[in-house]
Amino acid sequence: MTTAPALPLRVAAAVFLPFAAGYFLSYFFRNVNAVIAKDLAGEFGLSPAGVGLLTSAYFVAFALAQLPVGVLLDRYGPRRVVATLLCVAAAGAFVFGRADGAAALALGRALIGLGVAACLMGSIKAFTLWFPIERLATVIGWFLFLGTIGGIAATTPVELAVGTIGWRVMFVGLAAGALAVAVLIYLAVPE
């Protein structure tokens, strides 16, 4: 029986943790509108259809970005692409948090969707480059688990945060968080 070659722990952590943080945010952003929908509807006078349309801006931008993201990942690598796009997500979260109307909300949501479009496949590409094939199933399993935690974090914790600081402050904080993860990926992940 052969064992997989050992990968230094610091390299494994420098690759896995930053990308896992990005995927956590991706899942968080995917689900957060469900919790703040009543706040958005109340503040902006949105109908249920309006909230649905607003929420879909994330998914439309996310879907439209998939083919270009694949090409960019092959050309520039996951470190550069994911870090750059997370800066777009940060801008989107800031626009969303500072929005004064439904159009600005939709623009912010679309920028967030575009910005997190590479978080899953970019991470998996990085893992295939850095981890031995014998370890990929375990690494990706943990990665998907941490992303799912991001979806869970977008429920009751968001409701508590919105009740305390409001959804706008939360989104400005999420913008800072996305920017921090982008910087972490760019600086920590080896070329």
Side-chain angles (χ1 to χ4, degrees):
M1 180 173 157
T2 61
T3 59
L7 186 66
L9 183 59
R10 68 174 176 74
V11 173
V15 174
F16 180 81
L17 293 176
F19 283 112
Y23 191 55
F24 176 95
L25 280 174
S26 173
Y27 239 91
F28 185 94
F29 281 128
R30 181 179 305 183
N31 296 316
V32 72
N33 264 27
V35 177
I36 64 169
K38 64 183 180 306
D39 299 298
L40 297 176
E43 186 171 336
F44 295 98
L46 298 173
S47 66
V51 173
L53 183 63
L54 170 66
T55 301
S56 71
Y58 169 100
F59 295 104
V60 170
F62 187 97
L64 290 175
Q66 292 309 300
L67 287 177
V69 161
V71 172
L72 292 171
L73 286 171
D74 287 341
R75 183 171 177 97
Y76 297 107
R79 176 180 151 266
R80 292 179 187 157
V81 172
V82 175
T84 301
L85 286 178
L86 278 172
C87 291
V88 173
F94 185 79
V95 167
F96 192 89
R98 304 289 296 155
D100 58 0
L105 288 172
L107 173 63
R109 191 87 175 127
L111 288 172
I112 293 168
L114 172 63
V116 299
C119 285
L120 174 63
M121 292 314 299
S123 301
I124 291 174
K125 181 168 178 74
F127 299 158
T128 62
L129 295 172
W130 282 99
F131 290 92
I133 195 160
E134 298 85 5
R135 301 269 191 248
L136 279 180
T138 302
V139 168
I140 293 171
W142 278 106
F143 173 76
L144 294 174
F145 168 74
L146 291 173
T148 303
I149 298 298
I152 293 169
T155 58
T156 302
V158 166
E159 200 167 345
L160 295 172
V162 168
T164 305
I165 62 172
W167 68 270
R168 289 181 179 277
V169 173
M170 183 187 71
F171 265 87
V172 171
L174 286 168
L179 189 58
V181 172
V183 169
L184 179 65
I185 288 171
Y186 192 79
L187 295 179
V189 175
E191 184 67 49

